[in-house]
Amino acid sequence: MIIKVILSVRLDEETERQLADILAHEQTEKSELIRRLIAERWLTLQAGKTLLERRGGHPEHLLQDAPTDLSERSNRKKAIAQYLNKRHS
C-alpha cells in the first residue's frame, strides 16, 4: 500500500539556495531527493541495531518447546527435516 503525503516545508533563503544547488548537482526533483535523504537517514538509524533487532526480535513461537541442543548444526538440520516431513506428509 502506498500512502502519499503532501509535505510543506519552510526554508530560509540560504537553505533554499543549498537545496537548489543539490537538486542541480544531483539532477533530480525535490520529491526524489527527500525520499533518498529519508531512506539514507533511516538506514543510519538502523545501522546501530543488530539484524535480529531490525527484523523485530525472535518470533515468540519459534523456540518454544525446542530441544536444548539446537545450537549444533547437525541437530538443527535433523529437526528441520523432521518438521518438513511432518508438514508435507
Side-chain angles (χ1 to χ4, degrees), residues 47-64:
K49 294 182 179 179
T50 65
L51 176 62
L52 183 61
E53 290 170 331
R54 289 191 304 258
R55 301 282 306 200
H58 285 290
E60 292 179 20
H61 65 281
L62 181 64
L63 300 175
Q64 211 171 32

Side-chain angles (χ1 to χ4, degrees), residues 18-48:
Q18 291 170 345
L19 176 59
D21 288 345
I22 293 169
L23 292 171
H25 178 74
E26 300 281 328
Q27 296 180 343
T28 188
E29 59 182 31
K30 287 180 186 180
S31 295
E32 177 60 29
L33 178 62
I34 291 170
R35 279 193 296 274
R36 206 165 359 121
L37 290 171
I38 290 171
E40 288 172 9
R41 179 65 177 147
W42 186 82
L43 286 173
T44 301
L45 292 173
Q46 297 300 308

Side-chain angles (χ1 to χ4, degrees), residues 61-77:
H61 65 281
L62 181 64
L63 300 175
Q64 211 171 32
D65 302 327
T68 57
D69 61 353
L70 284 183
S71 61
E72 292 185 37
R73 183 181 181 132
S74 61
N75 294 336
R76 282 195 312 275
K77 286 178 80 171

